[in-house]
Amino acid sequence: MHESKRKLKVLFASAEAAPFAKMGGLGDVSGALPASLLQNYKDELDIRTILPFHEVIKKLDPPMKKIGDYAFSASDQEIECQLFVSDIDGVPVYLVDNDYINHNSPVYHGDWYLDGLKYATFSLALLEAMRYLDWKIDILHANDWHTALAPYALKTTYQNDLFYQGIKTILSIHNLPYNGWGSQDAMARLGFVPSHDQDLPDWARFTPLPLGVASADKVIAVSPGYAREILTPEYGCGMEGYLQKHSNKVMGILNGIDVNIWDPETDEQISHNFSAEAFSERVNNKLDLQKALDFVVDENIPLLTIVSRLSDQKGIPAILETLPQLLDRDWQFLLLGSGSPELEQAADQLSAEHPDRIASILKYDEVISHVLYASGDIFLMPSLYEPCGLSQMFAMRYGNLPVATETGGLADSIIDFSRDPENATGFLYEDKTAEGFLRSLTLALDTFADPGTWHKLQKNAMEADFAWKKSAAKYYDVYKSL
Ligand code: ADP
Ligand code: GLC
């Protein structure tokens, strides 16, 4: 009899994971990456995910079972937790509840103290859950500021705790500016102490994301481009000095997408399925949408689309400023997004001024997002920075060609028409102003007017390989190397 090979035990900790809880790309990644790792390395990996048991997950009520209750103390508090287990595509998903998590709880309160309490307790509760399960992990893979305090706690509070010896840690950075600032009171209440790491700037020694960056054995940005950018003052958010000095532990791995969910050939959310080979049906999605929006129904009018959080990061003002300057050209525009009240109002106003060609749907709606990806001709993504970006990948897979800034993961995933017309999958531009956007959009509109060239670009984009497999292999190599 031979002993079966020992599997690497990995806990993937995140605030979101689709389809249970998704507010943006973090949810897409945390739903799909562990599943892809499990699928491709099932004999080598025992990977499980852990999430806060958010209100939205309770409402969704996926099949699950309760494991039990456990408690731990943090400073002078006794934190009582309930642990459940469900699964996403075969990956066991633990759901942790306690008073701070289930406090009438949206995924993010938007109130720093409440979010601080929620995620600082979650970061401790996820470590304690491992003890309760008596599951000794090899690797903790944390994501963004929400779980960054878990690697920090392993290096401080739990440093001498025998149960946690030898755990290696990874912190994925999906969005550096969101560093958890404002959690300080909550952290102090839970007994966290400031770091003594002299390489960290003063402000960062008691801020979740920097503490995670300083504690983790590997820091992985969600694209190689963003990994380079965060070493510079423009993108480093004050952490560039630290990251430069410790650049040996910083790397970038481009996100993938779940090509089974995001497949125009089988997608049940769209009325007319299509593929690069069976392409002629695609246009019917657009014609249906034009009709529904009371726009002129004409396949030759380019339909511009965006699906986005409405935040400064996404460069929305460039769009709202530019479109009124382009009224002498034929196009229609549909925005799906929610977020900043100012941007929502500005989008609403623009639609009210041009109801015949501009419409805004100001909400988060997964089904409509599929329809937009499948119906649009040109997908707008004028981000000021973009750690990776998944929307442009969904758009390309559905033949909706991106006009995007040449930054982070956008530059890593889109092949620019001006540089490489043969292999192009979209349009990139460097100058992150409304003028830069206007020039790039104009080029895209001119190219759309040439159906032969446009169709070639669409085919390139739809055939590009954005599946997780390649990137999952890179994560697996990192796990092994640790
Ligand atoms: P970020 O995570 O910065 O928001 P990404 O491009 O990585 O950007 O991911 C955004 C994800 O959120 C995509 O899955 C996109 O389709 C989705 N999304 C954004 N806004 C909406 C919306 N209003 N309705 C539906 N889905 C949305
Ligand atoms: C963040 C980034 C986005 C990235 C996503 C998933 O929300 O803004 O660029 O795609 O995380 O990694």
Side-chain angles (χ1 to χ4, degrees), residues 34-55:
S36 174
L37 280 162
L38 187 67
Q39 210 172 54
N40 290 294
Y41 303 97
K42 62 176 178 311
D43 296 332
E44 290 86 6
L45 284 182
D46 176 0
I47 183 166
R48 309 180 194 177
T49 296
I50 192 159
L51 300 175
F53 199 172
H54 304 290
E55 194 68 27

Side-chain angles (χ1 to χ4, degrees), residues 395-437:
M396 285 186 272
R397 185 151 164 81
Y398 283 70
N400 192 347
L401 301 182
V403 168
T405 39
E406 187 158 21
T407 187
L410 296 172
D412 287 341
S413 59
I414 299 168
I415 302 174
D416 177 37
F417 179 65
S418 303
R419 302 240 175 87
D420 186 354
E422 256 324 287
N423 300 300
T425 57
F427 302 82
L428 287 170
Y429 65 98
E430 262 176 73
D431 169 13
K432 291 177 192 163
T433 60
E435 294 77 56
F437 174 64

Side-chain angles (χ1 to χ4, degrees), residues 366-385:
E366 197 71 25
V367 176
I368 301 180
S369 78
H370 286 244
V371 175
L372 259 73
Y373 291 123
S375 311
D377 298 299
I378 299 178
F379 191 80
L380 308 180
M381 212 151 163
S383 307
L384 300 181
Y385 72 97

Side-chain angles (χ1 to χ4, degrees), residues 168-405:
K168 299 291 181 189
T169 55
I170 295 173
L171 179 66
S172 282
I173 298 188
H174 301 259
N175 209 325
L176 189 60
Y178 292 80
N179 59 20
W181 181 263
S183 306
Q184 283 80 5
D185 287 346
M187 288 160 64
R189 254 189 92 178
L190 293 164
F192 283 96
V193 290
S195 162
H196 300 299
D197 190 333
Q198 297 298 316
D199 291 347
L200 284 171
D202 284 347
W203 63 269
R205 289 189 204 155
F206 204 50
T207 305
L209 189 64
L211 292 176
V213 166
S215 313
D217 296 304
K218 272 273 178 227
V219 172
I220 305 185
V222 288
S223 68
Y226 195 54
R228 286 189 299 274
E229 287 175 348
I230 57 178
L231 303 182
T232 68
E234 190 184 347
Y235 297 93
C237 305
M239 282 293 290
E240 61 278 7
Y242 183 91
L243 292 165
Q244 279 162 23
K245 187 155 181 194
H246 297 270
S247 61
N248 57 330
K249 72 171 184 181
V250 181
M251 64 183 293
I253 300 179
L254 190 68
N255 286 333
I257 58 173
D258 186 327
V259 289
N260 297 320
I261 295 177
W262 299 96
D263 181 357
E265 206 171 350
T266 53
D267 191 331
E268 289 175 3
Q269 319 291 359
I270 62 177
S271 314
H272 308 276
N273 290 109
F274 59 94
S275 65
E277 289 72 40
F279 192 71
S280 58
E281 271 300 300
R282 184 180 195 274
V283 70
N284 292 320
N285 293 299
K286 167 169 155 181
L287 299 176
D288 286 357
L289 190 58
Q290 287 174 321
K291 211 177 296 165
L293 294 169
D294 251 341
F295 288 172
V296 175
V297 179
D298 180 349
E299 66 175 284
N300 297 314
I301 302 179
L303 177 61
L304 319 181
T305 46
I306 179 166
V307 177
S308 184
R309 287 188 289 121
L310 300 184
S311 78
D312 291 344
Q313 173 188 348
K314 302 294 179 179
I316 311 293
I319 301 176
L320 302 179
E321 223 176 280
T322 300
L323 292 183
Q325 299 174 36
L326 268 178
L327 291 172
D328 57 336
R329 296 198 63 150
D330 246 355
W331 49 259
Q332 299 161 337
F333 173 54
L334 176 56
L335 172 146
L336 171 65
S338 60
S340 132
E342 295 79 42
L343 291 172
E344 287 193 2
Q345 203 207 332
D348 217 19
Q349 190 179 332
L350 197 63
S351 320
E353 284 163 13
H354 308 281
D356 55 323
R357 51 152 70 183
I358 300 183
S360 303
I361 304 176
L362 300 174
K363 63 173 175 174
Y364 188 97
D365 190 306
E366 197 71 25
V367 176
I368 301 180
S369 78
H370 286 244
V371 175
L372 259 73
Y373 291 123
S375 311
D377 298 299
I378 299 178
F379 191 80
L380 308 180
M381 212 151 163
S383 307
L384 300 181
Y385 72 97
E386 198 59 75
C388 178
L390 300 173
S391 309
Q392 81 283 5
M393 297 189 197
F394 301 142
M396 285 186 272
R397 185 151 164 81
Y398 283 70
N400 192 347
L401 301 182
V403 168
T405 39

